[in-house]
Amino acid sequence: MSDYSIHNSEKYFNRLEGVLYSKLFDLKLPFVAKNCDEEYAKRCAEFFEALDLDSEAFSELICAGIDYVTELLDERGDEFDLGEEFDEMTPEDFLRITAPVVIVFEKHSLLTDDDSPIGFSIQMRLREVADEFFELAMQEEKPIYAGEYRGVSPWNEKLLKKKWNYVEG
């Protein structure tokens, strides 16, 4: 059973906004759906609600996120107090110390809402560090990006650049 709500954005033209429940993070999360109809937004919300660590693609995305966070903590960990240290971070550790801020669903601009695969990016943060953002992005069953927050469409080819993307291509 899905647990989401969707409505037209009051702030932005051609956007839907809503809230969904994520079992993974055990949170209700806000989302934005850009340039799509309500049916596409529903498909995306239902897809995201069903994600778990058993999904190979999402698990791969989480592992790339772990690589990013581990490197961030190696470089700047003395700036943050996470309340614990990790010899090796597990996906469960990652989900416990991070929090999604907002999910952005976006259809491929060259496809119809019915034909477009699900595409989304998640703005993330460390739970104990409110202003340190990073991003995870997927296209349906394909992890696309994990790294510094860019706010770019999951369909943008720039996300595939190796030098700042922790997803192995």
Side-chain angles (χ1 to χ4, degrees):
M1 178 178 138
S2 294
D3 185 15
Y4 59 85
S5 64
I6 300 173
H7 59 273
N8 286 321
S9 173
E10 295 177 10
K11 297 178 187 175
Y12 300 100
F13 176 72
N14 206 16
R15 286 190 184 182
L16 300 169
E17 296 176 346
V19 176
L20 60 79
Y21 177 73
S22 170
K23 292 180 295 187
L24 279 170
F25 295 97
D26 193 27
L27 294 169
K28 285 201 170 226
L29 304 171
F31 68 84
V32 174
K34 293 181 177 180
N35 305 317
C36 64
D37 65 17
E38 192 169 322
E39 286 304 310
Y40 181 80
K42 284 180 184 179
R43 275 193 317 146
C44 291
E46 290 169 1
F47 179 85
F48 192 86
E49 284 181 329
L51 284 175
D52 59 33
L53 293 176
D54 292 334
S55 160
E56 187 177 329
F58 192 68
S59 183
E60 185 181 330
L61 182 63
I62 293 296
C63 288
I66 288 170
D67 291 345
Y68 172 77
V69 169
T70 299
E71 190 168 302
L72 174 69
L73 293 175
D74 285 348
E75 290 179 9
R76 299 182 40 217
D78 56 336
E79 297 175 35
F80 315 129
D81 179 14
L82 301 181
E84 60 186 299
E85 291 192 22
F86 303 96
D87 291 328
E88 189 167 321
M89 191 179 302
T90 66
E92 293 78 14
D93 294 333
F94 177 83
L95 295 175
R96 191 176 63 255
I97 68 164
T98 64
V101 176
V102 67
I103 305 163
V104 178
F105 298 125
E106 191 169 341
K107 76 174 188 70
H108 192 287
S109 62
L110 301 177
L111 300 173
T112 66
D113 287 12
D114 290 338
D115 294 335
S116 181
I118 290 165
F120 66 85
S121 64
I122 314 166
Q123 182 182 17
M124 301 284 295
R125 69 177 179 83
L126 297 172
R127 287 185 192 263
E128 301 300 322
V129 187
D131 61 350
E132 188 63 44
F133 299 109
F134 64 100
E135 187 168 15
L136 304 174
M138 275 183 77
Q139 294 173 1
E140 197 102 6
E141 290 296 325
K142 181 181 178 188
I144 297 299
Y145 178 76
E148 181 180 319
Y149 180 73
R150 300 275 178 184
V152 179
S153 165
W155 304 104
N156 189 318
E157 295 292 320
K158 290 180 184 176
L159 286 178
L160 301 176
K161 289 189 187 254
K162 299 283 188 243
K163 72 180 187 180
W164 39 270
N165 187 355
Y166 286 75
V167 171
E168 294 181 18

